[in-house]
Amino acid sequence: MARPSILVSNDDGIHAEGLHALEAALREFADVVTVAPESEQSAASHALSLARPLRLRRAGENRWAVDGTPADCVYVALHHPTLLPRKPDLVVSGINHGPNLGSDVFYSGTVAAAREGTLRGVDALAVSLAQGGKRDEAAALAVRVAQQILKTGKTPRPRQLFSLNIPAGTVRGLRATSLGVRLYEDLVDLRTDPRGRQYLWIGGPVVSHTAVEGTDTAAQESGYASLTPLSIDLYAPNGSPLATAIARTARRGPTRTRRIAR
Ligand code: MN
């Protein structure tokens, strides 16, 4: 049987240790092509560089660096005439340095690289490891999950985006989860530079979780790795009655309604 074809990317950049560990583990059973950002792009989300040219640099055997975002890398890989031998069977992104739990998936470049694959009709897996976690164990688990995705993908089914998170310490097992709620201590830290001008840092370092059974955050806190299926369709049917009511009122327009004599 032919070896599967896997496209690997990340958001920590082409030199990241997590990327090397993931590539090495996947190469044991698959033909791997890596297209990763030239520099770190964490929290770049799904940005595409449409307003400037991109440079592609060969970074080794079947390895390429793009001076752009994670989504740029997957886009380039899937549309470039010669980078990939064929359409990949799977896109794997990571191993991210740090978890991507709950609302992190909106900001994460790791998840975005995988999501770009799913948007283009390829199953995709984002892999994230908590700080201090064991990279080799995470890579081995990512391989087992990737192999199962490939196996189930042989029969026709909708293409699926998955996010795999591995905790630090001893991993007690792997659970299928939903997205939890991640509460950051959000802040804008205002400071003054040596010239007397103000600058600021956003994003607080402290994060806590609301304890909800079955979520990725709960799994992480109890020492389990989590596999969360993510949707591409952000449409919220529950909001439809409210949107209908707002649209009905708003389409009349405030100026026009004021002019009409009653
Ligand atoms: Mn990252």
Side-chain angles (χ1 to χ4, degrees):
M1 206 211 83
R3 283 159 66 89
S5 166
I6 298 181
L7 170 64
V8 170
S9 192
N10 76 343
D11 78 352
D12 295 331
I14 191 77
H15 302 294
E17 289 178 357
L19 179 70
H20 289 293
L22 182 64
E23 292 175 272
L26 294 172
R27 284 213 169 94
E28 296 285 321
F29 75 98
D31 293 333
V32 174
V33 175
T34 298
V35 184
E38 193 75 75
S39 61
E40 175 163 0
Q41 300 288 320
S42 293
S45 192
H46 211 120
L48 286 178
S49 305
L50 299 178
R52 65 176 181 86
L54 289 170
R55 301 281 177 183
L56 184 67
R57 178 179 68 84
R58 191 173 181 274
E61 181 80 18
N62 288 317
R63 299 189 90 238
W64 300 87
V66 173
D67 64 342
T69 65
D72 286 337
C73 292
V74 173
Y75 184 103
V76 166
L78 294 179
H79 296 92
H80 191 281
T82 57
L83 268 191
L84 297 178
R86 60 186 171 93
K87 186 178 177 180
D89 302 300
L90 184 66
V91 172
V92 186
S93 175
I95 300 170
N96 188 57
H97 180 69
N100 280 305
L101 302 163
S103 54
D104 291 346
V105 299
F106 277 101
Y107 306 100
S108 167
T110 306
V111 173
R115 190 194 291 124
E116 182 65 18
T118 313
L119 283 171
R120 308 285 163 191
V122 184
D123 278 337
L125 173 67
V127 185
S128 308
L129 176 63
Q131 282 91 351
K134 298 184 193 87
R135 210 171 282 125
D136 290 347
E137 277 184 27
L141 182 57
V143 162
R144 296 201 296 277
V145 171
Q147 286 175 329
Q148 290 308 309
I149 295 172
L150 287 163
K151 195 175 161 188
T152 60
K154 279 176 187 158
T155 49
R157 60 158 170 73
R159 295 303 99 181
Q160 183 64 56
L161 169 63
F162 296 96
S163 176
L164 173 66
N165 273 277
I166 300 117
T170 306
V171 180
R172 296 170 66 190
L174 172 63
R175 286 175 173 170
T177 55
S178 59
L179 280 184
V181 175
R182 205 145 148 80
L183 302 166
Y184 283 92
E185 182 206 41
D186 295 314
L187 60 83
V188 176
D189 189 358
L190 300 174
R191 301 183 185 195
T192 306
D193 72 19
R195 309 246 152 79
R197 290 179 57 194
Q198 195 175 73
Y199 67 100
L200 48 88
W201 282 97
I202 62 167
V206 182
V207 63
S208 60
H209 302 147
T210 50
V212 180
E213 192 60 32
T215 59
D216 57 354
T217 45
Q220 178 106 346
E221 285 191 349
S222 50
Y224 285 85
S226 62
L227 184 68
T228 309
L230 298 175
S231 72
I232 297 296
D233 181 3
L234 293 175
Y235 171 64
N238 290 346
S240 182
L242 180 57
T244 303
I246 290 170
R248 195 182 298 127
T249 312
R251 70 175 158 234
R252 288 199 290 267
T255 321
R256 200 179 139 209
T257 49
R258 227 175 277 129
R259 271 198 219 118
I260 293 169
R262 293 186 183 249

